[in-house]
mmCIF file of all heavy atoms in Angstrom:
data_model
loop_
_atom_site.group_PDB
_atom_site.id
_atom_site.type_symbol
_atom_site.label_atom_id
_atom_site.label_comp_id
_atom_site.label_asym_id
_atom_site.label_seq_id
_atom_site.Cartn_x
_atom_site.Cartn_y
_atom_site.Cartn_z
ATOM 1 N N THR F 115 -35.293 -17.367 -12.736
ATOM 2 C CA THR F 115 -34.468 -17.365 -13.942
ATOM 3 C C THR F 115 -33.907 -18.768 -14.222
ATOM 4 O O THR F 115 -33.864 -19.217 -15.372
ATOM 5 C CB THR F 115 -33.318 -16.349 -13.810
ATOM 6 O OG1 THR F 115 -33.855 -15.078 -13.436
ATOM 7 C CG2 THR F 115 -32.566 -16.188 -15.123
ATOM 8 N N LEU F 116 -33.490 -19.447 -13.149
ATOM 9 C CA LEU F 116 -32.991 -20.820 -13.307
ATOM 10 C C LEU F 116 -34.049 -21.728 -13.918
ATOM 11 O O LEU F 116 -33.768 -22.494 -14.847
ATOM 12 C CB LEU F 116 -32.578 -21.398 -11.936
ATOM 13 C CG LEU F 116 -31.205 -21.016 -11.397
ATOM 14 C CD1 LEU F 116 -31.064 -21.495 -9.961
ATOM 15 C CD2 LEU F 116 -30.091 -21.605 -12.269
ATOM 16 N N LYS F 117 -35.257 -21.626 -13.398
ATOM 17 C CA LYS F 117 -36.352 -22.457 -13.909
ATOM 18 C C LYS F 117 -36.597 -22.176 -15.385
ATOM 19 O O LYS F 117 -36.707 -23.093 -16.199
ATOM 20 C CB LYS F 117 -37.642 -22.137 -13.132
ATOM 21 C CG LYS F 117 -37.807 -22.948 -11.861
ATOM 22 C CD LYS F 117 -39.250 -22.804 -11.339
ATOM 23 C CE LYS F 117 -39.250 -22.096 -9.995
ATOM 24 N NZ LYS F 117 -40.574 -21.707 -9.511
ATOM 25 N N ALA F 118 -36.656 -20.908 -15.720
ATOM 26 C CA ALA F 118 -36.934 -20.534 -17.118
ATOM 27 C C ALA F 118 -35.813 -21.013 -18.035
ATOM 28 O O ALA F 118 -36.061 -21.545 -19.124
ATOM 29 C CB ALA F 118 -37.104 -19.026 -17.219
ATOM 30 N N ALA F 119 -34.583 -20.820 -17.575
ATOM 31 C CA ALA F 119 -33.440 -21.214 -18.406
ATOM 32 C C ALA F 119 -33.482 -22.713 -18.700
ATOM 33 O O ALA F 119 -33.227 -23.154 -19.829
ATOM 34 C CB ALA F 119 -32.132 -20.838 -17.710
ATOM 35 N N GLU F 120 -33.820 -23.479 -17.692
ATOM 36 C CA GLU F 120 -33.872 -24.935 -17.850
ATOM 37 C C GLU F 120 -34.858 -25.322 -18.956
ATOM 38 O O GLU F 120 -34.529 -26.078 -19.872
ATOM 39 C CB GLU F 120 -34.285 -25.558 -16.514
ATOM 40 C CG GLU F 120 -33.874 -27.012 -16.416
ATOM 41 C CD GLU F 120 -34.077 -27.547 -14.999
ATOM 42 O OE1 GLU F 120 -34.735 -26.849 -14.184
ATOM 43 O OE2 GLU F 120 -33.573 -28.647 -14.714
ATOM 44 N N THR F 121 -36.049 -24.775 -18.862
ATOM 45 C CA THR F 121 -37.078 -25.071 -19.870
ATOM 46 C C THR F 121 -36.655 -24.609 -21.262
ATOM 47 O O THR F 121 -36.753 -25.348 -22.243
ATOM 48 C CB THR F 121 -38.400 -24.364 -19.489
ATOM 49 O OG1 THR F 121 -38.748 -24.758 -18.162
ATOM 50 C CG2 THR F 121 -39.504 -24.719 -20.461
ATOM 51 N N LEU F 122 -36.182 -23.394 -21.335
ATOM 52 C CA LEU F 122 -35.830 -22.823 -22.639
ATOM 53 C C LEU F 122 -34.708 -23.605 -23.319
ATOM 54 O O LEU F 122 -34.747 -23.847 -24.531
ATOM 55 C CB LEU F 122 -35.427 -21.358 -22.479
ATOM 56 C CG LEU F 122 -36.571 -20.401 -22.089
ATOM 57 C CD1 LEU F 122 -36.007 -19.060 -21.613
ATOM 58 C CD2 LEU F 122 -37.527 -20.200 -23.268
ATOM 59 N N ILE F 123 -33.716 -23.992 -22.546
ATOM 60 C CA ILE F 123 -32.597 -24.747 -23.121
ATOM 61 C C ILE F 123 -33.096 -26.087 -23.651
ATOM 62 O O ILE F 123 -32.733 -26.516 -24.750
ATOM 63 C CB ILE F 123 -31.466 -24.916 -22.082
ATOM 64 C CG1 ILE F 123 -30.804 -23.550 -21.823
ATOM 65 C CG2 ILE F 123 -30.426 -25.932 -22.551
ATOM 66 C CD1 ILE F 123 -29.931 -23.492 -20.595
ATOM 67 N N LYS F 124 -33.971 -26.745 -22.879
ATOM 68 C CA LYS F 124 -34.570 -28.006 -23.341
ATOM 69 C C LYS F 124 -35.306 -27.827 -24.662
ATOM 70 O O LYS F 124 -35.320 -28.720 -25.505
ATOM 71 C CB LYS F 124 -35.570 -28.502 -22.295
ATOM 72 C CG LYS F 124 -34.986 -29.577 -21.376
ATOM 73 C CD LYS F 124 -36.083 -30.171 -20.495
ATOM 74 C CE LYS F 124 -35.510 -30.481 -19.122
ATOM 75 N NZ LYS F 124 -36.542 -30.427 -18.080
ATOM 76 N N GLU F 125 -35.923 -26.675 -24.805
ATOM 77 C CA GLU F 125 -36.718 -26.427 -26.018
ATOM 78 C C GLU F 125 -35.862 -25.888 -27.164
ATOM 79 O O GLU F 125 -36.389 -25.462 -28.194
ATOM 80 C CB GLU F 125 -37.858 -25.447 -25.701
ATOM 81 C CG GLU F 125 -38.819 -26.003 -24.659
ATOM 82 C CD GLU F 125 -40.055 -25.128 -24.444
ATOM 83 O OE1 GLU F 125 -40.202 -24.116 -25.157
ATOM 84 O OE2 GLU F 125 -40.863 -25.479 -23.566
ATOM 85 N N GLY F 126 -34.571 -25.883 -26.982
ATOM 86 C CA GLY F 126 -33.688 -25.528 -28.093
ATOM 87 C C GLY F 126 -33.323 -24.057 -28.213
ATOM 88 O O GLY F 126 -32.650 -23.659 -29.170
ATOM 89 N N PHE F 127 -33.742 -23.249 -27.255
ATOM 90 C CA PHE F 127 -33.336 -21.848 -27.296
ATOM 91 C C PHE F 127 -31.848 -21.713 -26.965
ATOM 92 O O PHE F 127 -31.285 -22.522 -26.213
ATOM 93 C CB PHE F 127 -34.133 -21.035 -26.261
ATOM 94 C CG PHE F 127 -35.540 -20.743 -26.681
ATOM 95 C CD1 PHE F 127 -36.584 -21.600 -26.302
ATOM 96 C CD2 PHE F 127 -35.833 -19.624 -27.457
ATOM 97 C CE1 PHE F 127 -37.893 -21.335 -26.690
ATOM 98 C CE2 PHE F 127 -37.137 -19.350 -27.842
ATOM 99 C CZ PHE F 127 -38.169 -20.210 -27.458
ATOM 100 N N LYS F 128 -31.252 -20.698 -27.536
ATOM 101 C CA LYS F 128 -29.882 -20.332 -27.143
ATOM 102 C C LYS F 128 -30.005 -19.154 -26.186
ATOM 103 O O LYS F 128 -30.331 -18.043 -26.601
ATOM 104 C CB LYS F 128 -29.077 -19.947 -28.375
ATOM 105 C CG LYS F 128 -28.781 -21.169 -29.258
ATOM 106 C CD LYS F 128 -28.433 -20.767 -30.657
ATOM 107 C CE LYS F 128 -28.466 -21.974 -31.580
ATOM 108 N NZ LYS F 128 -28.586 -21.558 -32.990
#
Side-chain angles (χ1 to χ4, degrees):
Chain F
T115 308
L116 279 171
K117 273 193 245 170
E120 201 170 12
T121 305
L122 291 166
I123 291 165
K124 261 188 216 153
E125 298 187 4
F127 284 93
K128 290 160 193 161

